[in-house]
């Protein structure tokens, strides 16, 4: 077994270490979500925590880690005889992003269940993590059906496996820790809310601290055992402090004054529901116990807010996490505690490791390319304030996005088999049952009627004598299901001078932002190609981070000629590369333009030839017609015909528009 990097040897990252330690003191806090760029010791710190967790007593021989003092009466390995128990280290179980449902919840032997009525069950990762840590690296990339199972287990403290009327239940209470890089996409709000605390981590910009990080990492890589031995005393001290804090926790007093501050803070930041209040109360109590106190101070409430609220105050996926600390301090001062000791602010009771500035005090991440975030914040900017696209020409200007709105559903025709999502029809592991087939590999979803039908003709030949059905493996039938998949939504946005009228471009950006929000909700990948001047640029390669696309869109300048053909050809190349990387994911191309093409020889004919490449390959497409004014040329509609797709106006794109119902992007390709 490899020697983990010592927890106490992690340099800096005070908020991260504090959040993990608070959960070790009080698992009821609800886990930690760690957000940050790659290479910031997220996984290292989480894996190191398991070595500090106190040992747990388990019933001897129980695969589900039952507590000998209060064994689970419904344990599949039960009932348990009193007395026999063993002590072992708390487990840290890692859930791979690509894990199957059976690996997570466990597998039931359907053949034995049907033929013998026996619940032969092989426990999964949820059983292994009971009374320990469940760690999900890149939790934002976890498949939706696994997210649903995690949500159910976290809410109920138990895991249920249901297969065709046969069910198994076991306890599954664990400390949920997830790490993620926000550039790769955000979490579903339901899972986001399940994490008690969140911290933002970033690499230090202090040279001395960075030197120390490198020095310690090199020493660990040279001799992990010797490096760990150097930190053994510090590790033992923290482990003992966790045990002492756990023992003190029941004695900590959360007075009415602190409760009023907690409630007022949650109300002031308009967080949804009551979970935030409960998590803040538990966190403030754990902070007091960690500091060795029996009273909760105002500083505990403040630190609890900085850890528990940033991820709960997001009103939409494009809002950056964080808290206004001035507003937080004003709220705490206004609703100052009426009982218990007052915090004099001298820092003597600050929890260790150092309080830091809290996740709300971290600078908000800047996803804008080439340092153009400052320019994006200004109402207008000239050429000196914006990056010049390759081949760009003419005056550049910025327009802010109009307010987003709910859009019609744009879907890819046919039946795909890509990653699970919510946009287009697909063959999936989850959804409505549409038929049955022989299983290819392990059976995951039994089609009971088809299985019985396959086995029935052979009962006499198999010598059936009892009530049970004699089932062979060849009789088993896999249910085929139809659900929804996520697609690659590639935006091709005209940023030329013909689109530069500020009010018009504001509406265009608002429409694209609305479509991005829809893509976020439907679990799509997105990409952004823009064209202006004399060339096209890939403003954002295909990614799961809709937030990054929104930032690029907001900072998009306009001006110059309209190289429509260049934009379409660049988009075609992006799709070609993506098909090699992810051949199962189907694409939806959204061209946002007024249809004009200028610059170069025969720009209209060249654009038509580029568009027909998409039609020849059967790529689903839609043209968002941005033409305005009393005289309309209908060029966007002609482009849609060349693409083999459909055209919608900005008004028709709205879900509440009377122009039509849900619009499949089928164009002229109608089913026979």
């Amino acid at each position: 077994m490899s020697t983990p990097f010592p927890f106490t040897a992690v340099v800096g990252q005070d908020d991260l270490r504090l959040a993990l330690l608070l959960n070790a003191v009080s698992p009821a806090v609800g886990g930690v979500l760690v957000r940050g760029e790659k290479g910031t010791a997220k996984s290292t710190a989480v894996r190191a925590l398991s070595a500090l967790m106190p040992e747990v007593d388990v019933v001897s021989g129980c695969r589900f880690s039952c507590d000998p003092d209060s064994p689970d009466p419904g344990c599949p390995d039960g009932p348990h005889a009193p007395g026999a128990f063993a002590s072992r280290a708390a487990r840290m179980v890692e859930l791979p992003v690509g894990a199957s449902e059976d690996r997570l919840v466990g597998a039931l032997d359907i053949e034995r269940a049907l033929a013998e009525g026996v619940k032969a069950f092989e426990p999964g990762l949820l059983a292994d993590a009971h009374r320990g840590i469940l760690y999900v690296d890149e939790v934002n990339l976890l498949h939706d059906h696994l997210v649903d199972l995690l949500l159910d287990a976290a809410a109920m403290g138990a895991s249920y496996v249901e297969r065709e009327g046969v069910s198994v239940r076991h306890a599954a209470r664990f400390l949920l820790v997830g790490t993620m890089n926000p550039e790769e996409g955000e979490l579903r709000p339901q899972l986001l809310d399940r994490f008690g605390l969140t911290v933002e981590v970033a690499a230090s910009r202090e040279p001395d601290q960075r030197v120390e990080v490198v020095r310690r990492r090199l020493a660990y890589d040279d001799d992990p055992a010797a490096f760990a031995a150097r930190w053994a005393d510090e590790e033992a001290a923290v482990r003992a402090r966790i045990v002492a804090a756990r023992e003190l926790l029941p004695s900590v007093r959360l007075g009415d004054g602190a409760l009023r501050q907690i409630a007022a803070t949650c109300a002031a930041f308009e967080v949804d529901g009551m979970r935030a209040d409960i998590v803040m109360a538990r966190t403030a109590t754990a902070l007091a116990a960690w500091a060795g106190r029996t009273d909760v101070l105002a500083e505990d409430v403040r630190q609890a807010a900085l850890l528990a609220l940033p991820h709960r105050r997001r009103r939409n996926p494009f809002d950056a996490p964080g808290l206004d600390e001035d507003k937080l301090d004003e709220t705490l001062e206004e609703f100052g505690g009426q009982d218990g000791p007052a915090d004099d602010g001298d820092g003597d009771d600050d929890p260790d490791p150092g309080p830091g500035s809290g996740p709300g005090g971290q600078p908000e991440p800047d996803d804008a390319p080439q340092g153009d975030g400052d320019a994006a914040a200004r109402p207008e900017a000239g050429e000196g304030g914006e990056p010049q696209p390759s081949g760009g020409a003419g005056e550049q200007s910025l327009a802010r996005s109009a307010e987003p709105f709910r859009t019609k559903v744009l879907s890819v025709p046919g039946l795909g088999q890509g990653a699970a999502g919510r946009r287009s029809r697909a063959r999936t592991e989850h959804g409505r049952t549409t038929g049955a087939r022989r299983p290819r590999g392990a059976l995951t979803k039994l089609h009971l009627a088809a299985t019985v039908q396959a086995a029935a003709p052979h009962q006499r030949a198999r010598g059936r004598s009892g009530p049970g059905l004699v089932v062979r493996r060849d009789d088993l039938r896999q249910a085929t299901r139809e659900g929804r998949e996520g697609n690659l939504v590639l935006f091709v946005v005209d940023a030329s001078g013909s689109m530069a009228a500020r009010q018009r471009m504001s509406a265009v950006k608002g429409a694209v932002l609305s479509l991005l929000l829809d893509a976020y909700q439907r679990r799509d990948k997105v990409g952004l190609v823009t064209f202006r001047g004399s060339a096209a640029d890939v403003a954002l390669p295909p990614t799961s981070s809709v937030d990054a696309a929104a930032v690029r869109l907001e900072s998009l300048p306009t001006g110059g000629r309209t190289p429509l053909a260049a934009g379409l050809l660049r988009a075609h190349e992006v799709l070609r590369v993506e098909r090699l990387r992810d051949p199962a994911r189907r694409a939806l191309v959204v061209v946002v333009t007024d249809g004009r093409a200028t610059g170069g020889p025969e720009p209209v004919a060249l654009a038509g030839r580029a568009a027909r490449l998409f039609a020849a390959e059967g790529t689903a497409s839609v043209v968002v017609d941005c033409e305005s004014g009393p005289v309309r040329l209908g060029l966007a509609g002609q482009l849609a015909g060349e693409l083999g797709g459909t055209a919608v106006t900005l008004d028709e794109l709205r879900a509440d528009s009377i122009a039509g119902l849900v619009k499949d992007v089928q164009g002229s390709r109608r089913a026979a």
Side-chain angles (χ1 to χ4, degrees), residues 505-573:
M505 196 60 194
S506 177
V508 169
K509 285 188 175 183
V512 178
L513 190 66
S514 303
L515 290 168
L516 283 171
L517 182 59
D518 182 68
Y520 165 79
Q521 294 167 341
R522 299 186 187 281
R523 309 292 285 174
D524 294 318
K525 290 180 70 174
V526 296
L528 180 61
V529 173
T530 65
F531 57 94
R532 62 179 296 273
S534 60
D537 294 313
V538 181
L540 183 72
T543 176
S544 296
S545 178
V546 177
D547 293 46
V551 172
R552 304 300 195 273
L553 175 70
E554 193 67 32
S555 59
L556 176 66
T558 57
R561 294 181 176 179
T562 311
L564 177 57
L568 295 175
L569 291 174
R570 180 60 64 92
H572 185 268
E573 177 63 17

Side-chain angles (χ1 to χ4, degrees), residues 482-496:
E482 182 179 311
R484 294 280 171 176
E485 67 177 358
N487 299 116
L488 166 59
V489 182
L490 181 61
F491 294 93
V492 185
V493 180
D494 184 349
S496 65

Side-chain angles (χ1 to χ4, degrees), residues 59-361:
V59 174
S60 297
C62 178
R63 297 174 297 166
F64 301 87
S65 302
C66 280
D67 186 345
D69 294 331
S70 56
D72 181 8
C75 176
D77 284 354
H80 298 298
F85 72 92
S87 295
R88 62 163 175 77
R91 291 174 179 159
M92 192 194 75
V93 178
E94 293 195 41
L95 172 60
V97 170
S100 66
E101 179 179 335
D102 285 347
R103 184 71 186 98
L104 178 62
V105 300
L108 195 64
D109 191 330
I110 299 296
E111 187 175 357
R112 291 189 63 191
L114 287 175
E116 306 173 28
V118 175
K119 295 181 182 179
F121 182 69
E122 183 66 28
L125 295 177
L126 290 179
D128 292 341
H130 180 47
R131 303 177 66 202
I133 302 171
L134 181 62
Y135 172 47
V136 189
D137 193 13
E138 297 181 318
V139 63
N140 50 325
L141 304 182
L142 199 63
H143 288 183
D144 275 3
H145 68 284
L146 297 182
V147 170
D148 292 335
L149 293 170
L150 270 182
L151 290 175
D152 290 341
M156 298 182 294
S159 175
Y160 292 84
V161 182
E162 300 282 349
R163 295 287 173 85
E164 304 298 340
V166 181
S167 63
V168 173
R169 174 211 165 273
H170 64 83
R173 293 183 296 275
F174 46 81
L175 168 59
L176 181 61
V177 181
T179 56
M180 60 175 281
N181 184 346
E183 293 181 357
E184 297 172 341
E186 282 293 344
L187 276 174
R188 283 173 53 185
Q190 296 94 326
L191 183 58
L192 193 64
D193 189 51
R194 291 294 180 186
F195 286 97
L197 310 179
T198 185
V199 290
E200 295 278 339
V201 296
S204 172
R205 299 297 183 259
E206 293 293 330
D208 290 343
Q209 195 170 77
R210 296 175 74 96
V211 166
E212 187 60 24
V213 170
V214 175
R215 181 182 291 118
R216 293 186 186 184
R217 185 70 213 189
L218 293 177
Y220 171 78
D221 291 341
D222 288 342
D223 191 342
F227 183 81
R230 287 169 46 195
W231 293 89
D233 292 342
E234 288 83 351
E235 293 281 287
V238 173
R239 192 179 299 110
R241 187 173 176 184
I242 291 173
V243 173
R246 282 189 172 189
E247 294 174 351
L248 182 62
L249 189 64
S251 304
V252 175
R253 174 175 170 269
L254 182 65
D256 290 342
L259 278 174
R260 282 180 58 82
Q261 288 183 315
I262 290 171
T265 301
C266 293
F269 286 98
E270 300 179 350
V271 295
D272 296 328
M274 295 297 298
R275 183 173 282 116
D277 304 63
I278 296 170
V279 171
M280 272 190 66
R282 289 172 173 166
T283 305
T285 303
L287 280 161
W290 178 247
R293 291 185 268 99
T294 56
D295 287 294
V296 173
L297 306 181
E299 180 59 30
D300 298 327
V301 176
R302 184 181 191 279
Q303 184 68 64
L306 293 173
L307 293 171
L309 296 188
H311 61 303
R312 292 187 166 90
R313 62 161 294 276
R314 291 176 59 133
R315 312 312 298 176
N316 67 64
F318 307 134
D319 288 340
L323 291 182
D324 183 341
E325 294 198 45
D326 291 336
K327 180 178 179 180
L328 173 60
D329 291 334
E330 291 173 3
T331 303
L332 293 176
E333 184 177 354
E334 180 181 356
F335 293 89
Q338 301 298 318
D339 60 330
D343 183 19
D344 58 9
D346 61 6
D348 290 341
D349 293 314
D350 281 350
D352 184 31
S357 61

